[in-house]
Amino acid sequence: MAPSGRISQSVFDGSRLRVILLLDLYEGAQQQFLDAYELMRQQVASVPGHISDQLCQSIENPSQWLITSEWESAPPFLAWVNSEEHVETVKPMHSCVRDTRSMRYSILRETNPGQPVSRTVTPADVQVEARVGDGVARHALTFTVKPGSESKVAELLAGYESPRAQVDETTRLRRTSLFMHGNRVVRAVEVEGDLLVALRHVARQPEVRAVEEAINPYLEQDRDLTDPESARVFFTRAALPAVHHVVSDRPAPAGLRRHALYYPAKEGRGMELARLLADQDRIAAGDPKSPVHSSTVFQRDDIVVRLIDVTGELDLDPVASLGLKGARKAAELERLLDGAAIGVEGSLETERNVNRLLSHADMLPVTDRSSVS
C-alpha cells in the first residue's frame, strides 16, 4: 500500500522537467543578449541531464523574451543551476536584462503528433501523478558568518520588527523560521501565492533592509545589497531550494513544534542524501505513530536541511526525528553523511551515536514568526 500523506513539493518523482525563464531586456541590448545566450547555450548543452532549450522573442513586445529548457528530471537541473559554473555562465546576461522570472514544472501529460493523448511515462514506466498542495511555496536561504560573531548575528536577526505579512490581494508571507548551526544561518520562508513577489516585497521593507545592513560586517561572503550585481550573486549562492515537502493526512495535533536538522553530506552526495530523507518522511506521513507531522527537505550542493513539525521533544524518538526508521536506514545515512563535520564518528546503528547525531544536527532556533492564527 502506498504511504499516505500530501506531497506538495518534490523533485524526486522521476518526471521530466520544464524550466521557463521570462526576461525583460533593456532597449538596445538585444544583440548583446543574443551573444551571451549563444555562449550559455553551448555550455549548458554539455550538462548531464539537459535535453533541449529554446529562445523565443515576443511577437507583441520585442523587449520580452522567453527561454525554455527541458531536463531529464529536476535533480540534474538543480545541481547545475545552483553551481558556481552557472553563476559564471549567466553573468554576461545580467547587464542586458531588466527583470527575470524563473518557473519550474514537472511534465505530467504530453501530446505528440500522430499519437493519442496519454500520460507521460517515466523511464521506469511509473505514471507521474499530480501532487496535492496547500497553496504554499517554500524556500530557504543559507549563508555563513565570521566565527565568533554568532551570538551578535543571532541577536540582530531575532530583534527586528516583522514586515507586513499581506503583500497584495493574492500573496501573503505566511511564516519565517530562522535557525543557526555554528556559524551557518538558515532562513526558511512559507508564502501563500507568488514566492518571488513576496521575496521582493520583504527585501524592500525598511526594517528588513536595516537588519541586512547590520549583519553585513559579520558575513564571510562580502555583499553590497545596493549593487544589483552583488545582490544577485549573493542570493544566487545563498539559495537553498525546497526539494520535498510532505504533510500527514492526519489532523494537525496541538502543540506542534518546529525544528531544523542540519545534515552535511559527503562531497557529491547531497542530492542522494536529500532523496533518502524525503523517502523516509513520505513513509512517516502514513505512520499514525510517527511524531513527525510535516517535513520540508532543503538541499544545495552538500548542504541538506530538514525542517520538521513534531509533537513532543525530539529525543523522545530520536530515530524517527532523524528520519532513520527502517532496516538499514541508519547505514544508508551513515554512507552519505559527513559525520565528522558535525562531530559524529562511528556507526549510526548504536543508540549512543544516534543521540549524539540528533544533539549535533538540531539547529539553534533564532526566530519563528507566523501570520497564521
Side-chain angles (χ1 to χ4, degrees):
M1 180 181 295
S4 60
R6 185 173 67 245
I7 297 173
S8 60
Q9 286 179 259
S10 184
V11 305
F12 301 122
D13 60 9
S15 63
R16 283 180 288 126
L17 181 72
R18 175 75 65 190
V19 180
I20 301 171
L21 184 63
L22 301 173
L23 308 104
D24 185 15
L25 302 191
Y26 290 112
E27 291 303 322
Q30 281 83 353
Q31 189 56 52
Q32 181 185 353
F33 171 74
L34 284 170
D35 293 342
Y37 171 77
E38 188 62 24
L39 290 174
M40 185 192 75
R41 184 181 70 83
Q42 293 174 11
Q43 294 184 34
V44 75
S46 63
V47 175
H50 175 264
I51 297 174
S52 64
D53 58 77
Q54 291 182 323
L55 174 65
C56 309
Q57 185 179 20
S58 169
I59 62 174
E60 299 169 334
N61 183 343
S63 69
Q64 293 178 347
W65 294 65
L66 168 70
I67 299 175
T68 67
S69 61
E70 187 174 327
W71 297 74
E72 292 175 359
S73 63
F77 166 76
L78 290 175
W80 179 71
V81 79
N82 291 324
S83 68
E84 286 298 314
E85 179 186 2
H86 175 261
V87 172
E88 295 301 319
T89 297
V90 301
K91 269 185 179 180
M93 286 189 173
H94 293 164
S95 59
C96 314
V97 177
R98 181 184 293 111
D99 193 24
T100 63
R101 181 179 181 84
S102 177
M103 296 172 283
R104 296 107 185 242
Y105 293 87
S106 296
I107 300 176
L108 301 188
R109 305 291 185 268
E110 188 170 24
T111 303
N112 292 313
Q115 296 181 5
V117 178
S118 63
R119 296 181 176 185
T120 294
V121 178
T122 69
D125 289 335
V126 177
Q127 291 183 336
V128 180
E129 299 297 334
R131 295 183 298 276
V132 179
D134 53 5
V136 176
R138 295 168 174 86
H139 188 65
L141 295 173
T142 185
F143 52 87
T144 55
V145 298
K146 296 173 182 175
S149 68
E150 294 90 348
S151 60
K152 180 60 178 179
V153 171
E155 179 185 349
L156 289 169
L157 292 173
Y160 73 96
E161 183 179 350
S162 298
R164 178 170 54 89
Q166 194 68 41
V167 178
D168 56 30
E169 292 182 356
T170 60
T171 300
R172 179 180 181 84
L173 186 63
R174 178 186 175 100
R175 190 168 183 175
T176 300
S177 306
L178 198 144
F179 296 84
M180 294 185 70
H181 188 280
N183 69 330
R184 178 168 296 281
V185 178
V186 173
R187 177 190 290 148
V189 297
E190 297 178 1
V191 173
E192 294 177 10
D194 193 311
L195 175 63
L196 182 60
V197 168
L199 294 178
R200 288 178 173 176
H201 160 79
V202 170
R204 290 193 297 264
Q205 303 309 302
E207 58 271 28
V208 174
R209 295 177 69 91
V211 75
E212 295 287 359
E213 288 295 325
I215 67 172
N216 273 346
Y218 306 109
L219 299 181
E220 286 198 315
Q221 177 190 342
D222 291 335
R223 69 178 185 185
D224 178 3
L225 296 184
T226 64
D227 174 14
E229 177 65 16
S230 177
R232 182 185 292 111
V233 170
F234 175 83
F235 286 113
T236 298
R237 287 175 171 153
L240 188 65
V243 295
H244 193 85
H245 173 77
V246 62
V247 59
S248 172
D249 281 336
R250 305 186 306 273
L256 280 175
R257 296 184 60 184
R258 174 156 291 190
H259 292 263
L261 298 174
Y262 176 57
Y263 301 78
K266 291 178 180 175
E267 185 175 357
R269 297 296 183 89
M271 185 64 74
E272 192 177 352
L273 175 53
R275 185 193 296 270
L276 170 64
L277 295 172
D279 286 343
Q280 288 293 95
D281 287 329
R282 178 177 54 83
I283 295 170
D287 181 359
K289 296 181 180 179
S290 175
V292 180
H293 181 72
S294 66
S295 166
T296 308
V297 179
F298 301 91
Q299 181 263 333
R300 176 195 178 92
D301 299 328
D302 297 326
I303 300 168
V304 182
V305 172
R306 180 165 160 264
L307 194 66
I308 55 176
D309 291 325
V310 300
T311 55
E313 299 296 331
L314 293 183
D315 56 6
L316 292 178
D317 191 344
V319 171
S321 296
L322 285 166
L324 293 178
K325 287 224 168 181
R328 301 295 299 166
K329 296 306 178 184
E332 288 184 47
L333 181 62
E334 183 182 330
R335 177 176 62 86
L336 302 172
L337 184 72
D338 185 0
I342 49 176
V344 178
E345 298 181 1
S347 173
L348 291 179
E349 301 284 356
T350 68
E351 181 179 352
R352 177 178 180 274
N353 276 341
V354 168
N355 289 327
R356 185 174 177 84
L357 173 60
L358 181 63
S359 174
H360 283 267
D362 192 16
M363 300 184 73
L364 173 70
V366 177
T367 182
D368 186 26
R369 306 179 184 208
S370 175
S371 63
V372 181
S373 56

